[in-house]
Amino acid sequence: MSPALLEVTDLRHSYQTRQGEHTVLDGLTFSVERGEFVSIVGPSGCGKTTLLRSLSGLLRPSGGTVALGGTVIDGVPQGLAMVFQDYRGSLFPWRRVGENVEFPLLGSVPKSERRRRTEESLEAVGLAAAADRYPWQLSGGMQQRVAIARALAMRPELLLMDEPFASVDAQTRSDLEDLLLRVREQFDMTILFVTHDVDESVYLSTRVLSLSKAPTVQTADVTVPLAFPRDQITTREEGAFVTTRSEVARLIRQAGPGGLAA
Amino acid sequence: MLRRGATGVLGTLLVWEVVARFDLLPRDALPPASSTIARAAELVVDTTFLGNVGATLWASLVGYLLALVVALPLGMLLGLSDRLYLVSSTVIELLRPLPPVGLVPLLVLVAGQGLEMKAAVVALGCVWPLLINTIHGVHATDSTARATARSFGWSRRQVAIRVVWPSAIPSVLTGVRITVSVALILCVGAEFIGGSTAGLGSWLLQQSMLPGGIESVCAGVVIAGSLGLLINGAVSALETRFAAWARREEA
Ligand SMILES: Nc1ncnc2c1ncn2[C@@H]1O[C@H](COP(=O)(O)OP(=O)(O)OP(=O)(O)O)[C@@H](O)[C@H]1O
Ligand SMILES: [Mg+2]
């Protein structure tokens, strides 16, 4: 059997602060298979961003290992792209939209291929016409689509997303959710998606992992028994959606004060 | 903008003309605008004068390049590290108030009265604002932007060149705008005080001692001021070209 795409083993992290050591991740073990859409939910400050930064090699965890395709990572691995919550900071304001999408390929992908991928990615997020504009000339939702297009251009096997839709309005948010499900099919990606919104996690995912408050351990691993394609209205009406949603919400509540930790 | 500038210049010239014509200030302290401009027109084709202007421009340029060569890489280095950033900010604030023109006597001893001394004065005067603006620009690079660039799998060096440097450019250009005209002033000042034999400063000093030389002095100052304006215009063009995104973003 081939190894899982992502394998996290006993991942630990403590930040050194003036008050001493602050343990955030206290031994997380889970794996993600190719083709899955896994959401991670957990209370604010539980270490979701810390987890994603460890997985993407931006942060060296204090303990444990992260393996991508069977290889333990040390630094930023190949085959992985990241979408941040703060699209404003994540897009480079001195580069046009097309240049932003092409940017990560600079020096590693030949020019004609760069152009092809840029066009294809912008097309996929419906922004082909905005290639020559600057990111700051676009709305928030459009900017996050540019960030997604840029991730697509990198052709990642695994896409990491850190509360990517937390800063947009509700309508834009459901549009972006559906867009994400579409490009996931089109580009055949595995996605690890951090959110603190239980509804969103169930709507998007094949599986939801829930985390406790820091020092964080994993509290639940819930498979979502819903078929694709999903629909903002009908999927949310299905009995399976409602029961899964309640199950995850209950698990999160148990993990809160007086719950699992007690 | 341009029209308001032109109106301002014409108005100033008019007031100047009136003040001088009606002897509101002594004639030998302020010649009329019209005769000053006539003299300036002669000077811009006068090879001796142009040679002196050339010497000043050359020394300013050498000094300025020296300041850039020091300030840009050093600013990058100091701005990239949080710890160095804190230390260097304090040290620079201490060093900055040292008046470079006050160092001229010392510099004359070390570097003589020519190009080297003048360039050193210019460099000493310009290096601090350039350094400070570079450090701040580099340090202010958005942390998400840096994280994003690293997530592309880029080395720290690549991140510095491709992301940190471009995002610092508006701040660096602000430093350039503050310093370019100061460079000329410092150079002329160094020529005055340092007793240089060539340059606009020494030419002005000679003219001021000739009978009726005040007209030439004023004309020389007007020409120097115009040069400063031209240089400022060039820097503004650079800012429009390379830093427009920083201003547009705030809007
Ligand atoms: N660089 C750092 N130094 C010290 N402590 C940090 C650092 N980054 C994060 N922390 C702390 O670690 C904990 C987890 O932070 P993290 O950002 O990973 O949480 P999160 O789950 O992403 O929260 P949110 O839902 O608010 O985004 C928090 O208590 C935070 O204050
Ligand atoms: Mg977070």
Side-chain angles (χ1 to χ4, degrees):
Chain A
M1 209 185 91
S2 67
L5 178 57
L6 176 71
E7 205 142 3
V8 178
T9 313
D10 196 28
L11 190 68
R12 295 167 181 279
H13 191 71
S14 309
Y15 288 106
Q16 307 298 332
T17 65
R18 235 166 277 154
Q19 288 82 39
E21 210 161 83
H22 176 43
T23 300
V24 179
L25 303 179
D26 200 19
L28 286 180
T29 301
F30 64 91
S31 61
V32 176
E33 300 292 335
R34 284 188 177 72
E36 281 195 290
F37 190 131
V38 176
S39 282
I40 294 184
V41 292
S44 183
C46 77
K48 303 182 294 293
T49 298
T50 306
L51 171 61
L52 281 205
R53 289 171 63 86
S54 311
L55 301 187
S56 59
L58 294 177
L59 178 98
R60 189 182 293 273
S62 333
T65 58
V66 175
L68 200 64
T71 316
V72 172
I73 67 160
D74 177 28
V76 177
Q78 291 271 312
L80 190 148
M82 179 112 168
V83 172
F84 296 80
Q85 174 181 346
D86 173 20
Y87 45 79
R88 246 173 145 269
S90 185
L91 296 174
F92 304 101
W94 60 92
R95 299 181 71 91
R96 293 169 194 276
V97 165
E99 294 168 333
N100 261 283
V101 172
E102 172 197 57
F103 209 17
L105 312 179
L106 226 61
S108 55
V109 174
K111 187 163 180 168
S112 57
E113 172 69 4
R114 285 208 302 268
R115 184 167 315 151
R116 206 181 62 72
R117 286 202 207 172
T118 303
E119 278 171 17
E120 184 187 42
S121 310
L122 280 174
E123 189 80 47
V125 301
L127 282 178
D132 290 329
R133 299 174 71 186
Y134 283 94
W136 36 267
Q137 296 174 321
L138 308 179
S139 70
M142 288 163 92
Q143 291 184 38
Q144 195 57 297
R145 272 147 71 196
V146 175
I148 293 172
R150 181 174 62 196
L152 296 178
M154 293 170 76
R155 292 282 192 281
E157 269 200 285
L158 179 63
L159 178 62
L160 303 177
M161 306 182 91
D162 191 358
E163 302 196 38
F165 308 147
S167 319
V168 298
D169 64 81
Q171 180 58 48
T172 308
R173 185 175 187 145
S174 35
D175 292 346
L176 287 172
E177 287 166 0
D178 291 330
L179 175 108
L180 182 60
L181 290 178
R182 266 202 319 278
V183 297
R184 164 177 177 258
E185 294 265 302
Q186 185 184 341
F187 289 83
D188 195 22
M189 288 178 302
T190 305
I191 299 180
L192 192 63
F193 186 96
V194 163
T195 176
H196 54 242
D197 183 327
V198 177
D199 275 60
E200 183 172 68
S201 73
V202 175
Y203 178 70
L204 290 172
S205 317
T206 58
R207 193 151 61 96
V208 180
L209 297 180
S210 94
L211 304 180
S212 70
K213 281 182 15 157
T216 301
V217 292
Q218 188 186 318
T219 59
D221 183 341
V222 177
T223 301
V224 181
L226 291 166
F228 290 93
R230 296 191 180 166
D231 181 273
Q232 289 286 356
I233 296 167
T234 58
T235 299
R236 288 172 194 272
E237 286 168 349
E238 281 181 43
F241 179 88
V242 179
T243 47
T244 311
R245 194 204 153 282
S246 307
E247 188 185 348
V248 174
R250 201 163 288 127
L251 286 162
I252 290 175
R253 190 160 63 194
Q254 279 173 12
L260 278 190
Chain B
M1 180 69 194
L2 206 61
R3 178 178 300 169
R4 216 183 311 153
T7 317
V9 170
L10 282 178
T12 310
L13 289 177
L14 196 69
V15 171
W16 174 3
E17 187 72 19
V18 170
V19 167
R21 288 280 168 210
F22 292 94
D23 291 320
L24 299 177
L25 281 173
R27 192 54 78 97
D28 50 355
L30 185 73
S34 50
S35 49
T36 303
I37 289 170
R39 180 78 186 111
E42 290 167 26
L43 283 178
V44 293
V45 290
D46 179 327
T47 48
T48 319
F49 176 75
L50 290 181
N52 282 304
V53 171
T56 298
L57 283 176
W58 175 239
S60 305
L61 182 70
V62 170
Y64 200 75
L65 290 180
L66 198 65
L68 282 176
V69 164
V70 173
L72 300 191
L74 190 61
M76 186 78 171
L77 204 73
L78 297 176
L80 277 173
S81 135
D82 282 333
R83 201 173 310 159
L84 288 179
Y85 172 77
L86 282 178
V87 176
S88 60
S89 301
T90 328
V91 173
I92 292 167
E93 287 310 323
L94 286 176
L95 288 174
R96 190 154 119 101
L98 290 181
V101 175
L103 293 175
V104 169
L106 190 69
L107 287 170
V108 167
L109 287 179
V110 187
Q113 295 175 298
L115 175 68
E116 292 85 350
M117 180 277 288
K118 296 194 268 179
V121 172
V122 171
L124 278 173
C126 295
V127 76
W128 305 119
L130 286 172
L131 186 59
I132 288 169
N133 278 279
T134 308
I135 291 176
H136 284 321
V138 166
H139 192 77
T141 305
D142 194 291
S143 60
T144 307
R146 279 159 81 160
T148 303
R150 285 215 288 130
S151 80
F152 296 164
W154 291 351
S155 65
R156 281 175 193 280
R157 207 184 123 86
Q158 285 173 316
V159 173
I161 294 170
R162 292 174 178 175
V163 171
V164 175
W165 173 244
S167 90
I169 280 183
S171 177
V172 172
L173 284 178
T174 302
V176 169
R177 180 155 43 76
I178 296 170
T179 47
V180 275
S181 34
V182 173
L184 275 187
I185 295 169
L186 283 173
C187 191
V188 171
E191 288 162 350
F192 263 137
I193 302 172
S196 302
T197 50
L200 189 57
S202 28
W203 183 88
L204 287 170
L205 201 60
Q206 285 160 19
Q207 296 298 312
S208 70
M209 290 183 291
L210 298 177
I214 190 65
E215 210 171 72
S216 298
V217 171
C218 286
V221 170
V222 166
I223 290 171
S226 313
L227 268 177
L229 275 182
L230 274 180
I231 295 172
N232 269 331
V235 175
S236 294
L238 278 181
E239 285 190 301
T240 310
R241 169 73 182 77
F242 293 105
W245 59 266
R247 264 175 290 152
R248 294 288 281 284
E249 207 181 14
E250 284 162 15

